[in-house]
Tab-separated table of all heavy atoms in Angstrom:
chain	number	residue	atom	x	y	z
A	1214	CYS	N	0.807	-1.266	0.010
A	1214	CYS	CA	-0.035	-0.060	0.029
A	1214	CYS	C	0.868	1.225	-0.049
A	1214	CYS	O	1.126	1.931	1.051
A	1214	CYS	CB	-0.956	0.003	1.262
A	1214	CYS	SG	-2.075	1.298	1.266
A	1215	SER	N	1.370	1.571	-1.226
A	1215	SER	CA	2.380	2.677	-1.263
A	1215	SER	C	1.861	3.822	-2.076
A	1215	SER	O	2.512	4.691	-2.496
A	1215	SER	CB	3.700	2.219	-1.838
A	1215	SER	OG	3.432	1.699	-3.178
A	1216	ASN	N	0.530	3.811	-2.392
A	1216	ASN	CA	-0.127	4.855	-3.262
A	1216	ASN	C	-1.254	5.506	-2.422
A	1216	ASN	O	-2.284	4.885	-2.145
A	1216	ASN	CB	-0.621	4.153	-4.519
A	1216	ASN	CG	-1.109	5.064	-5.533
A	1216	ASN	OD1	-2.003	5.835	-5.200
A	1216	ASN	ND2	-0.603	4.949	-6.756
A	1217	ILE	N	-1.130	6.777	-2.259
A	1217	ILE	CA	-2.204	7.511	-1.577
A	1217	ILE	C	-2.630	8.663	-2.419
A	1217	ILE	O	-1.905	9.515	-2.828
A	1217	ILE	CB	-1.668	8.060	-0.148
A	1217	ILE	CG1	-1.146	6.763	0.632
A	1217	ILE	CG2	-2.773	8.735	0.548
A	1217	ILE	CD1	-0.595	7.265	2.069
A	1218	ARG	N	-3.939	8.819	-2.618
A	1218	ARG	CA	-4.559	9.926	-3.234
A	1218	ARG	C	-5.152	10.797	-2.237
A	1218	ARG	O	-6.053	10.393	-1.487
A	1218	ARG	CB	-5.619	9.488	-4.299
A	1218	ARG	CG	-5.089	8.510	-5.264
A	1218	ARG	CD	-6.226	8.274	-6.335
A	1218	ARG	NE	-6.249	9.404	-7.292
A	1218	ARG	CZ	-5.710	9.398	-8.517
A	1218	ARG	NH1	-5.009	8.384	-8.921
A	1218	ARG	NH2	-5.779	10.413	-9.280
A	1219	PHE	N	-4.798	12.080	-2.187
A	1219	PHE	CA	-5.352	13.103	-1.271
A	1219	PHE	C	-6.356	13.901	-2.016
A	1219	PHE	O	-6.060	14.513	-3.065
A	1219	PHE	CB	-4.320	13.996	-0.705
A	1219	PHE	CG	-3.270	13.260	0.230
A	1219	PHE	CD1	-2.106	12.906	-0.268
A	1219	PHE	CD2	-3.693	13.038	1.464
A	1219	PHE	CE1	-1.207	12.288	0.647
A	1219	PHE	CE2	-2.838	12.312	2.481
A	1219	PHE	CZ	-1.584	12.020	1.929
A	1220	SER	N	-7.612	13.912	-1.558
A	1220	SER	CA	-8.612	14.746	-2.113
A	1220	SER	C	-8.683	16.092	-1.352
A	1220	SER	O	-9.055	16.043	-0.144
A	1220	SER	CB	-9.947	14.078	-2.178
A	1220	SER	OG	-9.980	12.911	-3.048
A	1221	ILE	N	-8.529	17.195	-2.027
A	1221	ILE	CA	-8.292	18.452	-1.144
A	1221	ILE	C	-9.324	19.479	-1.589
A	1221	ILE	O	-10.069	20.038	-0.711
A	1221	ILE	CB	-6.806	18.914	-1.223
A	1221	ILE	CG1	-5.893	17.911	-0.665
A	1221	ILE	CG2	-6.613	20.192	-0.545
A	1221	ILE	CD1	-4.384	18.094	-0.621
A	1222	ASP	N	-9.252	19.998	-2.759
A	1222	ASP	CA	-10.238	20.899	-3.328
A	1222	ASP	C	-10.240	22.385	-2.816
A	1222	ASP	O	-11.133	23.139	-3.141
A	1222	ASP	CB	-11.675	20.364	-3.082
A	1222	ASP	CG	-11.881	19.005	-3.697
A	1222	ASP	OD1	-11.389	18.724	-4.772
A	1222	ASP	OD2	-12.467	18.226	-3.080
A	1223	GLY	N	-9.215	22.787	-2.102
A	1223	GLY	CA	-9.129	24.229	-1.739
A	1223	GLY	C	-7.809	24.552	-1.190
A	1223	GLY	O	-7.181	23.719	-0.404
A	1224	VAL	N	-7.229	25.773	-1.458
A	1224	VAL	CA	-6.063	26.116	-0.852
A	1224	VAL	C	-6.255	27.213	0.189
A	1224	VAL	O	-5.476	27.177	1.205
A	1224	VAL	CB	-5.045	26.728	-2.061
A	1224	VAL	CG1	-5.592	28.022	-2.627
A	1224	VAL	CG2	-3.674	26.964	-1.479
A	1225	LYS	N	-7.302	28.004	0.111
A	1225	LYS	CA	-7.631	28.902	1.201
A	1225	LYS	C	-8.482	28.180	2.177
A	1225	LYS	O	-9.372	27.366	1.854
A	1225	LYS	CB	-8.352	30.170	0.565
A	1225	LYS	CG	-7.437	30.975	-0.289
A	1225	LYS	CD	-8.315	32.248	-0.876
A	1225	LYS	CE	-7.362	33.070	-1.832
A	1225	LYS	NZ	-8.094	34.165	-2.355
A	1226	LYS	N	-8.307	28.494	3.461
A	1226	LYS	CA	-9.010	27.915	4.580
A	1226	LYS	C	-10.471	27.937	4.321
A	1226	LYS	O	-11.248	26.922	4.422
A	1226	LYS	CB	-8.610	28.600	5.911
A	1226	LYS	CG	-9.459	28.095	7.104
A	1226	LYS	CD	-9.025	28.756	8.368
A	1226	LYS	CE	-9.973	28.502	9.544
A	1226	LYS	NZ	-9.920	27.087	9.974
A	1227	GLU	N	-11.024	29.091	3.954
A	1227	GLU	CA	-12.473	29.388	3.790
A	1227	GLU	C	-13.050	28.478	2.564
A	1227	GLU	O	-14.153	27.942	2.748
A	1227	GLU	CB	-12.852	30.833	3.705
A	1227	GLU	CG	-12.234	31.565	2.554
A	1227	GLU	CD	-10.877	32.243	2.927
A	1227	GLU	OE1	-10.230	31.704	3.914
A	1227	GLU	OE2	-10.494	33.110	2.233
A	1228	THR	N	-12.342	28.406	1.606
A	1228	THR	CA	-12.660	27.627	0.402
A	1228	THR	C	-12.691	26.158	0.744
A	1228	THR	O	-13.683	25.355	0.501
A	1228	THR	CB	-11.847	27.919	-0.807
A	1228	THR	OG1	-11.745	29.299	-1.100
A	1228	THR	CG2	-12.329	27.216	-2.033
A	1229	TYR	N	-11.604	25.693	1.285
A	1229	TYR	CA	-11.459	24.299	1.641
A	1229	TYR	C	-12.604	23.886	2.606
A	1229	TYR	O	-13.247	22.844	2.376
A	1229	TYR	CB	-10.146	24.106	2.373
A	1229	TYR	CG	-9.976	22.639	2.882
A	1229	TYR	CD1	-9.580	21.563	2.042
A	1229	TYR	CD2	-10.205	22.392	4.251
A	1229	TYR	CE1	-9.461	20.348	2.517
A	1229	TYR	CE2	-10.122	21.074	4.758
A	1229	TYR	CZ	-9.755	20.036	3.912
A	1229	TYR	OH	-9.629	18.770	4.447
A	1230	GLU	N	-12.825	24.671	3.586
A	1230	GLU	CA	-13.831	24.212	4.613
A	1230	GLU	C	-15.210	24.400	4.165
A	1230	GLU	O	-16.211	23.728	4.701
A	1230	GLU	CB	-13.533	25.039	5.877
A	1230	GLU	CG	-12.284	24.565	6.517
A	1230	GLU	CD	-11.910	25.260	7.953
A	1230	GLU	OE1	-12.810	26.072	8.408
A	1230	GLU	OE2	-10.822	24.957	8.453
A	1231	LYS	N	-15.489	25.281	3.119
A	1231	LYS	CA	-16.799	25.328	2.457
A	1231	LYS	C	-17.125	24.066	1.692
A	1231	LYS	O	-18.270	23.563	1.773
A	1231	LYS	CB	-16.881	26.564	1.596
A	1231	LYS	CG	-18.219	26.761	0.885
A	1231	LYS	CD	-18.263	27.964	0.002
A	1231	LYS	CE	-19.587	28.049	-0.767
A	1231	LYS	NZ	-19.640	29.212	-1.600
A	1232	ILE	N	-16.099	23.651	0.958
A	1232	ILE	CA	-16.325	22.545	0.053
A	1232	ILE	C	-16.208	21.177	0.814
A	1232	ILE	O	-17.075	20.319	0.667
A	1232	ILE	CB	-15.273	22.482	-1.162
A	1232	ILE	CG1	-15.543	23.772	-2.029
A	1232	ILE	CG2	-15.372	21.201	-2.005
A	1232	ILE	CD1	-14.465	23.925	-3.080
A	1233	ARG	N	-15.195	21.099	1.626
A	1233	ARG	CA	-15.086	19.868	2.474
A	1233	ARG	C	-15.638	20.162	3.963
A	1233	ARG	O	-14.852	20.334	4.808
A	1233	ARG	CB	-13.593	19.445	2.481
A	1233	ARG	CG	-13.138	19.171	1.069
A	1233	ARG	CD	-11.990	18.160	0.959
A	1233	ARG	NE	-12.070	17.508	-0.331
A	1233	ARG	CZ	-12.462	16.298	-0.519
A	1233	ARG	NH1	-12.717	15.473	0.500
A	1233	ARG	NH2	-12.646	15.813	-1.701
A	1234	PHE	N	-16.880	20.256	3.920
A	1234	PHE	CA	-17.648	20.602	5.032
A	1234	PHE	C	-17.320	19.669	6.299
A	1234	PHE	O	-17.475	18.431	6.136
A	1234	PHE	CB	-19.075	20.675	4.786
A	1234	PHE	CG	-19.995	21.219	5.914
A	1234	PHE	CD1	-20.045	22.590	6.178
A	1234	PHE	CD2	-20.758	20.359	6.747
A	1234	PHE	CE1	-20.720	23.045	7.156
A	1234	PHE	CE2	-21.424	20.897	7.753
A	1234	PHE	CZ	-21.506	22.278	8.084
A	1235	GLY	N	-16.893	20.215	7.324
A	1235	GLY	CA	-16.542	19.484	8.598
A	1235	GLY	C	-15.026	19.236	8.677
A	1235	GLY	O	-14.603	18.795	9.756
A	1236	GLY	N	-14.280	19.530	7.559
A	1236	GLY	CA	-12.817	19.369	7.603
A	1236	GLY	C	-12.188	20.612	8.115
A	1236	GLY	O	-12.756	21.789	8.000
A	1237	LYS	N	-10.970	20.471	8.784
A	1237	LYS	CA	-10.208	21.568	9.291
A	1237	LYS	C	-8.973	21.656	8.457
A	1237	LYS	O	-8.100	20.710	8.353
A	1237	LYS	CB	-9.913	21.443	10.731
A	1237	LYS	CG	-11.073	21.323	11.683
A	1237	LYS	CD	-11.811	22.668	11.605
A	1237	LYS	CE	-13.070	22.633	12.424
A	1237	LYS	NZ	-13.917	23.844	12.316
A	1238	HIS	N	-8.823	22.822	7.847
A	1238	HIS	CA	-7.543	23.048	6.978
A	1238	HIS	C	-6.330	22.885	7.632
A	1238	HIS	O	-5.344	22.287	7.158
A	1238	HIS	CB	-7.737	24.456	6.247
A	1238	HIS	CG	-6.728	24.583	5.103
A	1238	HIS	ND1	-5.836	25.594	5.067
A	1238	HIS	CD2	-6.637	23.863	3.918
A	1238	HIS	CE1	-5.247	25.525	3.891
A	1238	HIS	NE2	-5.627	24.517	3.231
A	1239	GLU	N	-6.266	23.258	8.892
A	1239	GLU	CA	-5.020	23.232	9.682
A	1239	GLU	C	-4.628	21.813	9.873
A	1239	GLU	O	-3.428	21.417	9.843
A	1239	GLU	CB	-5.175	23.911	11.105
A	1239	GLU	CG	-5.374	25.434	10.949
A	1239	GLU	CD	-6.940	25.787	10.885
A	1239	GLU	OE1	-7.706	24.816	10.608
A	1239	GLU	OE2	-7.153	27.009	10.955
A	1240	LYS	N	-5.635	20.973	10.176
A	1240	LYS	CA	-5.359	19.519	10.423
A	1240	LYS	C	-4.883	18.825	9.144
A	1240	LYS	O	-3.970	18.013	9.128
A	1240	LYS	CB	-6.660	18.826	10.871
A	1240	LYS	CG	-6.474	17.375	11.232
A	1240	LYS	CD	-5.520	17.160	12.351
A	1240	LYS	CE	-5.350	15.750	12.764
A	1240	LYS	NZ	-4.425	15.474	13.823
A	1241	LEU	N	-5.470	19.234	7.966
A	1241	LEU	CA	-4.961	18.761	6.728
A	1241	LEU	C	-3.469	19.030	6.521
A	1241	LEU	O	-2.735	18.108	6.208
A	1241	LEU	CB	-5.822	19.275	5.578
A	1241	LEU	CG	-5.193	19.045	4.104
A	1241	LEU	CD1	-5.369	17.517	3.643
A	1241	LEU	CD2	-5.817	20.012	3.091
A	1242	LEU	N	-3.140	20.204	6.680
A	1242	LEU	CA	-1.722	20.637	6.566
A	1242	LEU	C	-0.762	20.008	7.540
A	1242	LEU	O	0.311	19.543	7.110
A	1242	LEU	CB	-1.522	22.162	6.639
A	1242	LEU	CG	-2.477	23.026	5.698
A	1242	LEU	CD1	-2.111	24.550	5.922
A	1242	LEU	CD2	-2.126	22.600	4.263
A	1243	GLU	N	-1.249	19.724	8.711
A	1243	GLU	CA	-0.446	18.942	9.733
A	1243	GLU	C	-0.121	17.526	9.102
A	1243	GLU	O	0.951	17.020	9.257
A	1243	GLU	CB	-1.150	18.879	11.049
A	1243	GLU	CG	-1.121	20.158	11.800
A	1243	GLU	CD	-2.002	19.894	13.105
A	1243	GLU	OE1	-2.249	18.782	13.506
A	1243	GLU	OE2	-2.303	20.950	13.753
A	1244	ASN	N	-1.223	16.933	8.677
A	1244	ASN	CA	-1.048	15.562	8.110
A	1244	ASN	C	-0.363	15.463	6.828
A	1244	ASN	O	0.449	14.448	6.647
A	1244	ASN	CB	-2.473	14.852	8.019
A	1244	ASN	CG	-2.963	14.451	9.383
A	1244	ASN	OD1	-2.266	14.372	10.431
A	1244	ASN	ND2	-4.212	14.101	9.366
A	1245	LEU	N	-0.399	16.464	5.965
A	1245	LEU	CA	0.436	16.430	4.813
A	1245	LEU	C	1.862	16.589	5.176
A	1245	LEU	O	2.765	15.914	4.563
A	1245	LEU	CB	-0.012	17.649	3.907
A	1245	LEU	CG	-1.276	17.440	3.111
A	1245	LEU	CD1	-1.536	18.736	2.341
A	1245	LEU	CD2	-1.262	16.305	2.161
A	1246	GLU	N	2.186	17.372	6.150
A	1246	GLU	CA	3.629	17.418	6.607
A	1246	GLU	C	4.087	16.083	7.229
A	1246	GLU	O	5.230	15.745	7.017
A	1246	GLU	CB	3.802	18.558	7.679
A	1246	GLU	CG	3.692	19.948	7.053
A	1246	GLU	CD	4.827	20.205	6.052
A	1246	GLU	OE1	5.938	19.827	6.304
A	1246	GLU	OE2	4.606	20.773	5.060
A	1247	LEU	N	3.187	15.466	7.974
A	1247	LEU	CA	3.473	14.072	8.531
A	1247	LEU	C	3.844	13.177	7.412
A	1247	LEU	O	4.780	12.426	7.441
A	1247	LEU	CB	2.393	13.528	9.343
A	1247	LEU	CG	2.289	13.830	10.864
A	1247	LEU	CD1	1.087	13.154	11.477
A	1247	LEU	CD2	3.517	13.254	11.491
A	1248	ALA	N	2.947	13.199	6.432
A	1248	ALA	CA	3.148	12.263	5.280
A	1248	ALA	C	4.410	12.650	4.566
A	1248	ALA	O	5.232	11.707	4.153
A	1248	ALA	CB	1.941	12.316	4.318
A	1249	GLN	N	4.664	13.858	4.367
A	1249	GLN	CA	5.934	14.371	3.618
A	1249	GLN	C	7.171	13.822	4.397
A	1249	GLN	O	8.130	13.315	3.749
A	1249	GLN	CB	5.805	15.873	3.598
A	1249	GLN	CG	7.087	16.493	2.907
A	1249	GLN	CD	6.840	16.602	1.394
A	1249	GLN	OE1	6.118	15.873	0.776
A	1249	GLN	NE2	7.576	17.577	0.694
A	1250	ASN	N	7.212	13.954	5.644
A	1250	ASN	CA	8.375	13.668	6.451
A	1250	ASN	C	8.571	12.227	6.819
A	1250	ASN	O	9.648	11.842	7.239
A	1250	ASN	CB	8.346	14.572	7.774
A	1250	ASN	CG	8.341	16.155	7.465
A	1250	ASN	OD1	9.026	16.483	6.509
A	1250	ASN	ND2	7.778	16.819	8.269
A	1251	ASN	N	7.517	11.437	6.716
A	1251	ASN	CA	7.582	10.108	7.139
A	1251	ASN	C	7.448	9.099	6.053
A	1251	ASN	O	8.168	8.046	5.858
A	1251	ASN	CB	6.565	9.819	8.269
A	1251	ASN	CG	6.982	10.424	9.521
A	1251	ASN	OD1	7.680	9.913	10.420
A	1251	ASN	ND2	6.341	11.680	9.764
A	1252	LEU	N	6.385	9.314	5.188
A	1252	LEU	CA	6.022	8.307	4.255
A	1252	LEU	C	6.678	8.606	2.771
A	1252	LEU	O	7.210	7.620	2.159
A	1252	LEU	CB	4.480	8.270	4.023
A	1252	LEU	CG	3.644	7.976	5.295
A	1252	LEU	CD1	2.121	8.028	5.035
A	1252	LEU	CD2	4.074	6.736	5.937
A	1253	LYS	N	6.692	9.779	2.405
A	1253	LYS	CA	7.261	10.185	1.067
A	1253	LYS	C	8.668	9.757	1.051
A	1253	LYS	O	9.244	9.285	0.015
A	1253	LYS	CB	7.077	11.631	0.826
A	1253	LYS	CG	7.295	11.910	-0.675
A	1253	LYS	CD	7.021	13.457	-0.866
A	1253	LYS	CE	7.223	13.806	-2.333
A	1253	LYS	NZ	7.124	15.315	-2.442
A	1254	LYS	N	9.510	9.831	2.122
A	1254	LYS	CA	10.829	9.443	2.184
A	1254	LYS	C	11.064	8.047	2.064
A	1254	LYS	O	12.181	7.507	1.657
A	1254	LYS	CB	11.442	10.005	3.509
A	1254	LYS	CG	11.620	11.438	3.565
A	1254	LYS	CD	12.208	11.909	4.956
A	1254	LYS	CE	12.389	13.484	5.061
A	1254	LYS	NZ	12.935	13.889	6.247
A	1255	MET	N	10.057	7.235	2.418
A	1255	MET	CA	10.147	5.784	2.260
A	1255	MET	C	9.907	5.334	0.862
A	1255	MET	O	10.194	4.157	0.450
A	1255	MET	CB	9.012	5.084	3.128
A	1255	MET	CG	9.212	5.163	4.609
A	1255	MET	SD	7.992	4.448	5.539
A	1255	MET	CE	8.102	2.665	5.009
A	1256	GLY	N	9.315	6.198	-0.014
A	1256	GLY	CA	9.038	5.855	-1.455
A	1256	GLY	C	7.562	5.844	-1.588
A	1256	GLY	O	7.155	5.362	-2.789
A	1257	PHE	N	6.672	6.363	-0.799
A	1257	PHE	CA	5.205	6.411	-1.118
A	1257	PHE	C	5.051	7.427	-2.199
A	1257	PHE	O	5.767	8.331	-2.350
A	1257	PHE	CB	4.461	6.924	0.136
A	1257	PHE	CG	4.076	5.926	1.080
A	1257	PHE	CD1	4.955	5.290	2.033
A	1257	PHE	CD2	2.745	5.409	1.072
A	1257	PHE	CE1	4.500	4.362	2.941
A	1257	PHE	CE2	2.323	4.456	1.856
A	1257	PHE	CZ	3.195	3.926	2.916
A	1258	GLU	N	4.072	7.073	-3.117
A	1258	GLU	CA	3.694	7.917	-4.145
A	1258	GLU	C	2.462	8.670	-3.734
A	1258	GLU	O	1.364	8.038	-3.446
A	1258	GLU	CB	3.483	7.226	-5.455
A	1258	GLU	CG	3.123	8.169	-6.599
A	1258	GLU	CD	3.112	7.518	-7.915
A	1258	GLU	OE1	3.115	6.290	-8.053
A	1258	GLU	OE2	3.147	8.226	-8.977
A	1259	PHE	N	2.449	10.056	-3.676
A	1259	PHE	CA	1.393	10.911	-3.339
A	1259	PHE	C	0.755	11.564	-4.653
A	1259	PHE	O	1.490	11.989	-5.470
A	1259	PHE	CB	1.799	11.977	-2.352
A	1259	PHE	CG	2.259	11.492	-1.010
A	1259	PHE	CD1	3.005	12.156	-0.263
A	1259	PHE	CD2	1.854	10.214	-0.569
A	1259	PHE	CE1	3.508	11.741	0.968
A	1259	PHE	CE2	2.303	9.661	0.678
A	1259	PHE	CZ	3.132	10.520	1.426
A	1260	MET	N	-0.630	11.551	-4.598
A	1260	MET	CA	-1.313	12.348	-5.679
A	1260	MET	C	-2.274	13.272	-5.015
A	1260	MET	O	-2.759	12.879	-3.919
A	1260	MET	CB	-2.002	11.316	-6.598
A	1260	MET	CG	-1.141	10.618	-7.556
A	1260	MET	SD	-1.819	9.107	-8.271
A	1260	MET	CE	-1.509	8.050	-6.845
């Protein structure tokens, strides 16, 4: 399981949270950094 597709749909907090209702933009960014620093270095492919 080395392939992860992230569905995001917004770069601004207000746009992201309007489209992805119930999601927190700050939490998304925290987890993208986690993925970048831990999984991508292992060879995971992110889309």
Side-chain angles (χ1 to χ4, degrees):
C1214 184
S1215 59
N1216 184 307
I1217 302 176
R1218 304 186 77 99
F1219 294 100
S1220 299
I1221 297 180
D1222 302 318
V1224 64
K1225 294 179 180 176
K1226 174 180 169 65
E1227 56 271 27
T1228 305
Y1229 173 84
E1230 294 183 1
K1231 177 183 179 180
I1232 295 174
R1233 298 207 153 251
F1234 188 74
K1237 297 298 178 187
H1238 194 237
E1239 296 86 350
K1240 184 63 179 177
L1241 168 71
L1242 299 184
E1243 285 176 19
N1244 280 348
L1245 286 176
E1246 286 298 318
L1247 265 181
Q1249 180 89 335
N1250 296 329
N1251 291 273
L1252 303 179
K1253 195 175 178 185
K1254 290 179 179 178
M1255 291 178 62
F1257 273 80
E1258 183 170 16
F1259 295 156
M1260 284 157 284

